[in-house]
Amino acid sequence: FPLLSYLTLTCRLALAFKGLSFKVEWLELSEIEPKMKEIGADPTSTREDGSPLYTLPVIHDHSTGRIISDSMQIAFYLDDTYPELPKLFPRSVRAPIVMFDAFFFPTVFRVGRGADLINHEAFKKLAPASIEYIRRTQGDEYMARVAKLSDPQNPQRDVLLEALRVGFRKVSNILSANTDSDGFFYGNSLSFADFIIVAHLLWMKASLGEESIEWKDFEKWDHGRWAKLLESTEKYQVLGG
């Protein structure tokens, strides 16, 4: 499952950028909460009923003994603990990236429910135990809505793709405000903000399939900006382990 999770991908990109070696432990969705309780990881939020919610990624830094939950908190920790390594937050300025993180997913994937299309394709690659977990936690209505996207002739697929296109265009327009830029959030400096985008791109690529019509079309969006971003960060895209 982590291969298809943009949050865990963000964490692995950050670790690779810092030049830190790491090992990935793979979990099914239903295994996350028991494992996090076992290792003493903090929950990242609460459910509607007030019970703690445990999510990935979580890292266990054996050099310090620390266990850190949540991708943004992990990024903070990595810069604080290893300040001599490349910085995820240039000049130690964090607020702009925190704001961008809060903006990116709702703008690109939630508006128009573009995430439904990506989730549908991702579900095809999940083990039965994780699919059943999603059904149990998200409900039959959600599963039915996503399942309808299996039909390649379903016009809703085009609607969702267009919603994604509009969302990515909004982000592209913002990044285009940078002049003399390599296309990164901070112009010529790679940062955690770029890895937030790259992680989502890798999630889409893995879910849709590299040879799919949708992905090949996506690579052309916004004058190839996103394909160029993937190419320029390729050496940090350590997906296995």
Side-chain angles (χ1 to χ4, degrees):
F1 173 73
L3 177 62
L4 304 175
S5 167
Y6 50 86
L7 293 175
T8 58
L9 287 168
T10 306
C11 180
R12 275 178 278 174
L13 288 161
L15 288 165
F17 176 71
K18 298 289 279 189
L20 296 166
S21 60
F22 61 95
K23 179 182 178 181
V24 177
E25 181 172 352
W26 304 87
L27 298 173
E28 295 295 340
L29 289 172
S30 57
E31 298 172 331
I32 294 174
E33 183 170 339
K35 183 65 176 181
M36 296 305 101
K37 289 180 176 179
E38 176 189 329
I39 67 175
D42 291 331
T44 52
S45 62
T46 56
R47 298 185 176 90
E48 290 184 1
D49 62 5
S51 62
L53 177 64
Y54 295 85
T55 61
L56 297 179
V58 169
I59 65 167
H60 182 188
D61 186 346
H62 292 279
S63 65
T64 64
R66 292 287 305 280
I67 296 174
I68 311 296
S69 307
D70 182 79
S71 58
M72 186 65 71
Q73 294 304 314
I74 289 170
F76 292 164
Y77 169 82
L78 294 177
D79 266 12
D80 289 342
T81 308
Y82 303 99
E84 73 282 3
L85 300 177
K87 287 189 175 294
L88 293 161
F89 300 89
R91 299 177 295 281
S92 299
V93 177
R94 296 178 175 179
I97 295 179
V98 173
M99 292 178 66
F100 179 74
D101 182 47
F103 162 83
F104 181 78
F105 186 87
T107 300
V108 176
F109 292 95
R110 192 170 292 153
V111 173
R113 295 187 180 276
D116 281 0
L117 178 60
I118 310 303
N119 282 333
H120 169 264
E121 299 302 322
F123 289 172
K124 296 177 182 178
K125 300 172 175 65
L126 295 180
S130 284
I131 295 176
E132 179 54 34
Y133 177 86
I134 295 171
R135 182 186 305 279
R136 187 170 69 252
T137 57
Q138 299 298 319
D140 290 336
E141 181 179 347
Y142 173 78
M143 297 299 290
R145 186 176 76 243
V146 174
K148 290 179 181 179
L149 299 174
S150 292
D151 181 2
Q153 303 302 318
N154 185 343
Q156 186 64 17
R157 290 178 68 95
D158 292 333
V159 172
L160 297 182
L161 278 171
E162 181 58 25
L164 287 172
R165 186 192 299 272
V166 170
F168 272 105
R169 186 180 302 124
K170 289 179 180 179
V171 177
S172 180
N173 288 341
I174 291 173
L175 296 179
S176 294
N178 291 331
T179 58
D180 187 25
S181 168
D182 288 330
F184 300 137
F185 182 83
Y186 278 112
N188 298 315
S189 300
L190 192 59
S191 72
F192 191 62
D194 302 297
F195 291 136
I196 290 170
I197 301 173
V198 170
H200 285 81
L201 298 180
L202 292 172
W203 169 54
M204 292 175 62
K205 183 178 180 180
S207 300
L208 295 171
E210 188 173 0
E211 299 303 318
S212 68
I213 295 174
E214 289 93 345
W215 178 255
K216 288 186 177 298
D217 181 55
F218 173 79
E219 289 182 307
K220 303 172 187 176
W221 287 8
D222 300 310
H223 306 289
R225 171 190 286 278
W226 312 117
K228 293 174 185 174
L229 181 59
L230 280 178
E231 183 179 358
S232 64
T233 58
E234 188 172 7
K235 65 180 178 179
Y236 305 118
Q237 296 171 24
V238 183
L239 303 186

